[in-house]
Amino acid sequence: MKITHVGAVLLQPMPWVLVKVKTDEGLVGIGEAYHGAGVHQIVTDPRLRDRALIGQDPRNVDKLFHDMMSSMSASGFYQGAVMSAISGIEMALWDITGQACGVPIWQLLGGKFRDRIRVYNDCHAGDDETPEAYAEKARAVEARGFDAIKFDIDPRPDRRDRYNRTISNDDVAFFIEVIAALRDSLNPNTDLLIDAHWNYAPVDILKVAYAIEDLNLMWLEDPVPPENIEAMAKVTQATRVPICTGENFYTRHGFRDLIEAQAADIISPDHAKAGGLLEGRKIADLADMYYIPLSPHNICGPIGTVAVCHLCAAVPNFQVLEFHHLDNEVWNTLTVERDLIRNGHIDLPTKPGLGVTLDEETARRAAREDLGFF
């Protein structure tokens, strides 16, 4: 079996990047790359496509992953848009390999630990920035079957100097009030997650963390910028609130220092840009050596989301998977299979390969016409 074609499409309004790999035996694989400037062009860049993929056996997934990195070594192959493109192609290769072997991707990754993948819904309170509005949104999402829900505590407009990463006393009080209202509004067994989006200095975010230690959060995410592992470790070691980070790290090499320093309690790789599924397995195994749970970051459409579900099923330390797109019509119709999320869970596919089928008509309607279709 040989690869004959590698294509990509950029969707809208959410700029999801889908990848399609075709073979001379008629098998076609679908993957999804983390969106970003130029990612869909990189997927079909001759340096990547022609040097590493065309004419090769798609079932040699790990070899092709290394070949793709080598072919793009002059373009920052361990990070950024290049690694996002490689990650999406890698998922499509697994789809082909699973179809060729007649088994789901999770079987190829070592088998499954679970039949359903728990997901959390990432929420926004809307225009009304009040604790009551946050609580109302939380109750509405919980009523739809989610037992893990996330909200952000981003800086409010014109409330601080965004360059020095401080939090005003008023905002500290507001964030605490919001988090307390959210916790009170939810079932005690519903997990609450809070995301700080790398906005703050350790001394300031710890003011919030100390005040919410008794509210039993599942985690506080990205409290400080991601590039300083020592600062992240300082926050993690200083509070009883579990600290989560990882969406801006690439490959197991990028996670090594974070995990070995135990600078976070939970890691959240984004596998659509961190290297794909097998590299995700390697990251998870490294984390599991330190008993660190894996909770992948995920803003993909259903193709990337289901692909990551195969990884989540195959590793022991999976905790919960992110989901952003409640009531998004394109998300809900982009696969032939509908209603993928039920009661806050995704049933693990059992069909060969990815296990879900791209709805080509929905994809074509959502595609950027000026950039072509696969």
Side-chain angles (χ1 to χ4, degrees):
M1 187 189 303
K2 304 296 182 184
I3 296 171
T4 58
H5 174 82
V6 180
V9 62
L10 179 63
L11 304 186
Q12 57 184 2
M14 189 68 189
W16 293 316
V17 178
L18 302 183
V19 176
K20 181 181 286 187
V21 177
K22 298 180 181 179
T23 70
D24 60 354
E25 295 187 12
L27 292 181
V28 177
I30 296 292
E32 183 171 349
Y34 188 92
H35 62 269
V39 172
H40 66 288
Q41 290 102 331
I42 295 172
V43 170
T44 58
D45 188 301
R47 292 172 295 174
L48 183 63
R49 179 191 62 201
D50 299 342
R51 290 183 189 175
L53 297 168
I54 298 298
Q56 299 299 311
D57 188 330
R59 295 166 294 187
N60 294 325
V61 181
D62 200 19
K63 172 185 180 296
L64 294 183
F65 176 77
H66 284 80
D67 289 347
M68 285 189 284
M69 290 203 300
S70 178
S71 72
M72 301 296 283
S73 60
S75 303
F77 58 89
Y78 274 135
Q79 58 190 349
V82 169
M83 185 51 68
S84 296
I86 290 173
S87 300
I89 295 169
E90 195 259 12
M91 291 182 188
L93 297 177
W94 280 118
D95 186 19
I96 292 171
T97 303
Q99 293 176 60
C101 296
V103 297
I105 294 172
W106 53 259
Q107 192 75 71
L108 300 172
L109 294 174
K112 61 180 179 178
F113 285 88
R114 51 196 64 88
D115 296 313
R116 296 196 308 160
I117 303 305
R118 186 188 185 205
V119 299
Y120 70 83
N121 190 71
D122 194 320
C123 303
H124 302 280
D127 296 332
D128 187 4
E129 287 283 324
T130 65
E132 294 75 19
Y134 279 85
E136 181 180 357
K137 180 64 175 287
R139 286 190 295 267
V141 172
E142 185 182 49
R144 298 179 65 169
F146 291 91
D147 63 1
I149 300 173
K150 186 168 84 174
F151 285 88
D152 303 333
I153 53 168
D154 292 335
R156 293 190 287 173
D158 303 321
R159 300 290 292 185
R160 70 173 182 97
D161 181 341
R162 65 185 178 90
Y163 297 104
N164 63 18
R165 303 189 181 90
T166 59
I167 313 176
S168 70
N169 291 337
D170 283 347
D171 275 0
V172 170
F174 175 73
F175 292 154
I176 294 168
E177 187 178 2
V178 164
I179 296 168
L182 287 168
R183 184 65 274 171
D184 288 343
S185 71
L186 295 170
N187 184 293
N189 206 39
T190 295
D191 284 313
L192 175 61
L193 304 68
I194 298 296
D195 193 344
H197 280 139
W198 321 281
N199 279 303
Y200 306 114
V203 66
D204 279 71
I205 194 62
L206 282 171
K207 296 176 184 177
V208 178
Y210 291 149
I212 61 175
E213 285 186 332
D214 293 330
L215 296 182
N216 196 28
L217 266 62
M218 190 173 195
W219 71 58
L220 173 62
E221 184 173 342
D222 294 327
V224 299
E227 63 268 15
N228 190 322
I229 290 174
E230 290 80 5
M232 189 72 68
K234 177 179 179 179
V235 175
T236 299
Q237 294 160 8
T239 178
R240 290 186 284 113
V241 178
I243 300 300
C244 175
T245 195
E247 69 182 83
N248 281 327
F249 293 91
Y250 296 84
T251 77
R252 64 192 184 278
H253 302 285
F255 278 89
R256 183 186 63 186
D257 290 345
L258 176 75
I259 291 171
E260 290 183 349
Q262 300 180 67
D265 299 298
I266 300 151
I267 61 165
S268 56
D270 191 309
H271 299 291
K273 66 178 178 180
L277 303 183
L278 183 57
E279 193 69 11
R281 166 96 221 195
K282 295 172 183 178
I283 294 167
D285 288 342
L286 178 59
D288 196 42
M289 293 177 65
Y290 294 85
Y291 318 116
I292 295 174
L294 176 84
S295 294
H297 178 266
N298 170 57
I299 58 173
C300 284
I303 297 299
T305 298
V306 172
V308 174
C309 283
H310 288 270
L311 169 63
C312 295
V315 298
N317 51 331
F318 165 73
Q319 189 177 40
V320 66
L321 174 64
E322 185 169 18
F323 170 68
H324 267 263
H325 304 291
L326 199 63
D327 298 323
N328 181 313
E329 182 179 356
V330 178
W331 202 102
N332 291 327
T333 60
L334 195 55
T335 57
V336 173
E337 299 79 9
R338 299 290 199 261
D339 300 321
L340 294 178
I341 300 177
R342 300 180 183 181
N343 293 319
H345 291 76
I346 298 175
D347 290 332
L348 192 62
T350 57
K351 293 187 291 186
L354 181 65
V356 295
T357 304
L358 178 69
D359 189 314
E360 296 273 345
E361 289 307 311
T362 297
R364 191 177 296 276
R365 287 194 300 270
R368 279 275 303 272
E369 293 183 3
D370 58 317
L371 297 175
F373 189 74
F374 291 124

